[in-house]
């Protein structure tokens, strides 16, 4: 059996590599076209008007869902897993937020982005400061928001993402995704996907001998990689990765 230390891609000439790369490029272009078609279909989804008012706690006090738009027409809300009993936010959600770029690019397209968690602001604030994030983050602790949007269920906290459109003061939900629908939004995992070893998780179809571990086993908050050999808690240990 090939040793994991010695498992490497096959070595070929530059011409052979270019041929293989061109063959892969055709498949990548086909996949891109399929994703573009899916995005076009997503833009044509119907929407549903929200007739219930929600209250959130933010740095400036109580705010409404309309306030979270911050004057823009579109709003992306990431339902960040942070149970009120936890002392820190979910490891996987933290990795996704780590990969969010500067929000000015979204603002240029009349779009706001915010995080919502059920944990109280007294726990969100120090954790946000510890992580060094500037993305707006609000607590839904005093409302039914998490329950109504499936972010808190009888199984506990669930990661998901919802998008909303504002027409004046009327708010419409346009989209929601969860579980593996969120994988494409994690820039860190997407970068690993273009490397020879990939994410190095044992659900991946990789050549024999490639380094692999259980899913989530290697995940850490970004300030814990050197000092937390036990790995994350169970908040990210459910769901099929295939």
């Amino acid at each position: 059996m090939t040793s994991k230390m010695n498992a490497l891609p096959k070595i070929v000439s530059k011409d052979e590599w270019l041929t293989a790369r061109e063959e892969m490029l055709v498949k990548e272009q086909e996949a891109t076209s399929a994703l573009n078609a899916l995005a076009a279909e997503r833009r044509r989804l119907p929407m549903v008007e929200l007739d219930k008012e929600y209250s959130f706690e933010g740095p400036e006090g109580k705010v409404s869902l309309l306030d979270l738009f911050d004057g823009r027409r579109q709003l992306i809300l990431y339902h960040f897993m942070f149970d009120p009993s936890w002392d820190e936010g979910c490891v996987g959600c933290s990795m996704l937020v780590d990969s969010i770029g500067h929000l000015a690019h979204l603002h240029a397209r009349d779009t706001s982005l915010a995080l919502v968690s059920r944990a109280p602001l007294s726990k969100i604030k120090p954790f946000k400061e510890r992580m060094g994030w500037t993305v707006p983050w609000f607590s839904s602790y005093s409302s039914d928001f998490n329950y109504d949007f499936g972010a808190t269920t009888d199984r506990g906290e669930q990661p998901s993402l919802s998008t909303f459109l504002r027409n004046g003061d009327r708010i419409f939900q346009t989209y929601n995704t969860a579980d593996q629908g969120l994988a494409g939004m994690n820039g860190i995992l997407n970068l690993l996907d273009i490397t020879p070893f990939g994410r190095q998780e044992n659900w991946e179809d990789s050549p024999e001998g490639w380094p692999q571990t259980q899913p989530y086993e290697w995940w850490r908050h970004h300030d814990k990689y050197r000092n937390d050999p036990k790995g994350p808690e169970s908040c990210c240990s459910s769901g099929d990765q295939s």
Side-chain angles (χ1 to χ4, degrees), residues 43-54:
R43 288 191 292 272
R44 289 164 173 80
L45 277 173
M47 60 186 185
V48 59
E49 185 167 8
L50 302 185
D51 56 6
K52 183 175 181 178
E53 293 186 2
Y54 295 100

Side-chain angles (χ1 to χ4, degrees), residues 1-161:
M1 179 179 294
T2 305
S3 167
K4 289 186 178 182
M5 295 298 294
N6 296 325
L8 295 170
K10 179 182 178 182
I11 301 173
V12 298
S13 69
K14 184 62 176 289
D15 287 342
E16 290 176 296
W17 181 86
L18 287 172
T19 298
R21 179 67 191 96
E22 287 296 323
E23 292 174 353
M24 174 63 69
L25 180 60
V26 172
K27 296 177 181 179
E28 288 177 337
Q29 291 171 335
E30 291 173 350
T32 297
S33 296
L35 288 174
N36 289 341
L38 186 61
E41 186 174 347
R42 188 182 298 115
R43 288 191 292 272
R44 289 164 173 80
L45 277 173
M47 60 186 185
V48 59
E49 185 167 8
L50 302 185
D51 56 6
K52 183 175 181 178
E53 293 186 2
Y54 295 100
S55 177
F56 305 88
E57 185 74 25
E60 306 302 322
K62 294 286 186 181
V63 294
S64 66
L65 182 58
L66 186 63
D67 293 325
L68 269 55
F69 281 79
D70 199 22
R72 301 180 182 90
R73 290 204 66 194
Q74 300 189 126
L75 172 65
I76 301 169
L77 278 189
Y78 182 66
H79 303 274
F80 191 111
M81 293 170 61
F82 199 159
D83 186 276
S85 66
W86 300 352
D87 293 325
E88 55 187 10
C90 165
V91 173
C93 293
S94 297
M95 187 189 297
L96 188 148
V97 175
D98 278 338
S99 70
I100 293 175
H102 201 292
L103 297 186
H105 303 293
L106 292 176
H107 297 169
R109 296 284 83 183
D110 208 12
T111 302
S112 293
L113 183 146
L115 312 178
V116 170
S117 298
R118 202 161 59 89
L121 203 64
S122 60
K123 288 192 172 184
I124 290 175
K125 183 178 178 181
F127 182 69
K128 178 182 177 182
E129 292 175 351
R130 170 187 148 194
M131 294 290 99
W133 297 332
T134 59
V135 60
W137 198 348
F138 301 88
S139 170
S140 62
Y141 183 73
S142 61
S143 79
D144 297 329
F145 186 79
N146 267 48
Y147 299 96
D148 290 351
F149 286 85
T152 301
T153 70
D154 56 4
R155 295 186 297 150
E157 301 301 297
Q158 309 295 323
S160 63
L161 180 145

Side-chain angles (χ1 to χ4, degrees), residues 165-186:
L165 180 67
R166 178 177 68 86
N167 187 16
D169 289 342
R170 299 172 67 189
I171 299 174
F172 303 86
Q173 183 179 12
T174 61
Y175 183 69
N176 174 268
T177 190
D179 300 324
Q180 284 309 293
L182 298 169
M185 301 173 192
N186 190 320

Side-chain angles (χ1 to χ4, degrees), residues 153-238:
T153 70
D154 56 4
R155 295 186 297 150
E157 301 301 297
Q158 309 295 323
S160 63
L161 180 145
S162 299
T163 63
F164 303 89
L165 180 67
R166 178 177 68 86
N167 187 16
D169 289 342
R170 299 172 67 189
I171 299 174
F172 303 86
Q173 183 179 12
T174 61
Y175 183 69
N176 174 268
T177 190
D179 300 324
Q180 284 309 293
L182 298 169
M185 301 173 192
N186 190 320
I188 294 167
L189 299 182
N190 291 334
L191 286 172
L192 286 172
D193 283 343
I194 65 172
T195 66
F197 293 148
R199 303 181 197 181
Q200 302 171 49
E201 296 179 345
N202 62 8
W203 62 269
E204 292 177 295
D205 180 3
S206 295
E208 183 179 356
W210 255 225
Q212 291 187 329
T213 63
Q214 292 287 335
Y216 317 111
E217 185 179 278
W218 61 278
W219 292 15
R220 307 284 191 278
H221 292 111
H222 61 237
D223 59 352
K224 286 188 174 181
Y225 276 99
R226 289 188 177 182
N227 302 316
D228 185 18
K230 293 183 180 180
E233 297 296 331
S234 61
C235 66
C236 297
S237 62
S238 63

